[in-house]
Amino acid sequence: MIGILGGGQLARMLALAAVPLGLRVRTLDPNADSPAGHCAELVVAPYDDPAGLARLAAGCTAVTYEFENVPAAAVERLAGLGVAVRPAAGALAISQDRIPEKDCFNACGLPTAPYRAVDSRADLDAAVAAIGLPGVLKTRRFGYDGKGQKVLRRSEDLDAAWAELGRSPLIYEGFVPFDSECSLIAVRGGDGATAFYPLVENHHRDGILRLSICPGRGTAGLQAEAEAAAGRLLARLDYVGVLAVEFFRVGGRLLGNEMAPRVHNSGHWSIEGAECSQFENHIRAVAGLPLGSTRVRGAAAMVNLIGDFPDLRAVLAEPGVHLHHYGKEPRPGRKIGHLTVVADDHAALLGRLRRLAAVTGLELPGLDG
Ligand code: AMP
């Protein structure tokens, strides 16, 4: 039995990957109708509820999590129950705060944009004086899908940004004029073995990921550098499981932006697009099993379904397209499913994506690049 904190779509896809390995999954989520509950045991309780955590942990080989804002108290409680939490608490703590996260990147030889902690209005002036404009002011913790951040272009922007964000601990970063955004899905097993998927190219709109393409265009020459940096991160954090590292590709280099200590939306294409998906590899890692091959079958893409479903019959009629429905009610801005698109090579993949956009009316940014 594997335990998962959180019962959303990531836990659902982890459960679906665990079953063929002969492993059962139990999730804990405050929501009685959470997506993972359709295919795994579900404990309905708050994340820090001692009785709920004890029920989650009972009989588990290991407990993992599907989101990085897991309360530290929950992880401590699980450790106190004698169950292994993977990835370990240290990696979780670092990824919850953008300052130690970027410190860790730099310590591992992964450069970042210049950054400074901002805890007062005077700190903001000092950070802007040191780093310059434009830049991005972000909350250090609990940011997701581009929330909790403001781009500062002129000195007149500082007051409004401070008024909006100044109640939280902040970070100011130099603005990166990136050529593209990409991510590396890495995995480390309990025995220290590592494996890496090819760099993925990511396209966002309104702060939400819309389209991922693997292998990412323009990334082949950067793969070795990305793997070396991620390998150092995994070793430093004594990491077990899947780690997603997000980068800016700029002027032929990679700058680290952030990491997620879990399976990641930009790796969802791997369910049909790779020999062993990120979900299966995460389960293998936390269960102490050998890792599977990260080889991509040709080229693959992930299209997020956000807010509402397109005509699913039309989607399913398209060759090379696979539907992953999360069992959630449609709601504006909500991720309710994704499509994996697979093809023999990039040219065929882009053709399938353009056709899919035409058939469904889905807007797919990045297809003209
Ligand atoms: P984050 O929450 O750090 O992933 O930021 C959300 C999005 O904002 C990123 O995917 C980028 O598109 C953009 N962004 C964040 N930080 C920077 C930066 N320093 N320079 C340019 N764009 C950024």
Side-chain angles (χ1 to χ4, degrees), residues 98 101-102 113-114 134-139 143-149 151 172-178 181 202 204 207-208 246-248 255-258:
R98 293 182 191 271
E101 183 175 64
K102 284 192 164 58
V136 190
L137 186 65
K138 303 178 179 177
T139 54
Y144 71 98
D145 286 348
K147 294 198 171 43
Q149 53 182 274
V151 177
Y172 182 68
E173 305 173 6
F175 188 87
V176 180
F178 54 78
E181 292 188 75
N202 297 320
H204 301 81
I208 304 182
E246 295 185 58
F247 306 94
F248 299 122
L255 296 181
N257 178 32
E258 60 180 356

Side-chain angles (χ1 to χ4, degrees), residues 199-215:
L199 280 162
V200 183
E201 134 192 7
N202 297 320
H203 299 276
H204 301 81
R205 181 161 300 161
D206 303 326
I208 304 182
L209 181 66
R210 306 283 156 158
L211 173 67
S212 293
I213 295 178
C214 188

Side-chain angles (χ1 to χ4, degrees), residues 15-27:
L16 289 170
V19 170
L21 296 171
L23 294 166
R24 287 165 54 206
V25 165
R26 185 186 298 133
T27 70

Side-chain angles (χ1 to χ4, degrees), residues 62 64-65 85-88 91 108 184-197 227-245 260-263 276-292 294:
T64 185
Y65 40 86
V85 178
R86 295 181 178 141
C108 290
L184 185 76
I185 309 294
V187 58
R188 185 166 182 267
D191 59 356
T194 55
F196 306 90
Y197 294 88
E227 287 187 13
R232 288 189 292 268
L233 267 172
L234 291 168
R236 184 185 176 93
L237 299 170
D238 195 17
Y239 198 90
V240 177
V242 164
L243 175 77
V245 187
R262 54 171 169 81
V263 287
C276 182
S277 76
Q278 64 162 349
F279 300 101
E280 180 175 342
N281 258 330
H282 186 72
I283 293 288
R284 287 185 184 218
V286 302
L289 300 168
L291 302 181
T294 50

